[in-house]
């Protein structure tokens, strides 16, 4: 498979800013396939209300986040998920070789923020589990309009950075360092989110 991703730029941004934004990390056809799969899974009712790791009740969780998720198998046989996992694997190999990151595993899920959904300011690493090294989010929103909402806001030591969830855009950030939040979405907001561990 021909891979043409500016890994060097991504790594430079991760080193300098703890986050990187890259458009076209996954091929157009992979993104289209994944978007269709997400929509099919939603139709099939496999999406579940997301949790937040700690022992809090459903009502408390809903005050913090209101997206729905469906996990992706790392050994999926589906061609688009396979291509996604293949590319994540390539990236981990590259990161490990150039930055000694020691990534040995990953986990990803589809996420659907329906109209009105949000995820309040939080950090991705759990208090009792430090395995998450990098968060990786890819947006699958075609023809996004300016007032669709659902921006990702990352709180860096240089100030807040707003990232719009545009089609094919990928955001990578250090899971243990950066607080972030998803602003209220004005319409269905589709993405794949996961962690390199
Ligand atoms: C998360 C998260 C960000 C986004 O799922 O932990 O912060 O932009 N997602 O969807
Ligand atoms: Mn998060």
């Amino acid at each position: 498979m021909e891979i043409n991703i500016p890994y060097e730029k991504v790594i430079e941004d991760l080193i300098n800013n703890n986050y990187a934004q890259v458009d076209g990390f996954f091929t157009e056809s992979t993104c289209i396939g994944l978007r269709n799969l997400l929509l099919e899974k939603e139709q099939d009712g496999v999406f579940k209300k997301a949790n937040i790791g700690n022992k809090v009740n459903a009502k408390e969780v809903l005050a913090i986040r209101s997206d729905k998720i469906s996990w992706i198998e790392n050994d999926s046989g589906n061609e688009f998920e396979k291509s996604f996992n293949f590319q994540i694997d390539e990236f981990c190999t590259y990161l490990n070789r150039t930055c000694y990151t020691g990534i040995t595993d990953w986990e990803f899920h589809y996420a659907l923020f329906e109209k009105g959904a949000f995820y309040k300011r939080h950090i991705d690493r759990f208090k009792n589990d430090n395995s998450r090294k990098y968060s990786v989010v890819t947006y699958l929103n075609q023809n996004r309009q300016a007032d669709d909402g659902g921006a990702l806001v990352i709180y860096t030591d240089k100030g807040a950075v707003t990232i719009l969830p545009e089609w094919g855009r990928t955001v990578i950030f250090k899971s243990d360092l950066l607080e972030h939040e998803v602003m209220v979405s004005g319409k269905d907001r589709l993405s794949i989110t996961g962690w390199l561990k």
Side-chain angles (χ1 to χ4, degrees), residues 86-156:
F86 177 86
Q87 203 169 308
I88 289 295
D89 193 23
E90 290 275 303
F91 181 57
C92 291
T93 303
Y94 191 90
L95 266 181
N96 286 345
R97 196 171 64 228
T98 55
C99 303
Y100 306 100
T101 36
I103 294 160
T104 55
D105 197 10
W106 62 81
E107 55 184 6
F108 280 88
H109 61 61
Y110 294 100
L112 175 62
F113 287 73
E114 289 169 311
K115 184 175 162 60
F118 56 84
Y119 194 158
K120 293 270 170 70
R121 185 167 172 163
H122 67 282
I123 201 146
D124 282 351
R125 189 177 273 189
F126 300 123
K127 285 196 179 70
N128 55 356
D129 175 359
N130 63 7
S131 63
R132 290 176 169 183
K133 295 186 167 99
Y134 291 92
S135 305
V136 181
V137 189
T138 298
Y139 302 110
L140 302 173
N141 305 301
Q142 283 166 330
N143 306 318
R144 213 189 141 267
Q145 306 296 307
D147 58 358
D148 284 351
L152 169 68
V153 179
I154 299 182
Y155 298 95
T156 76

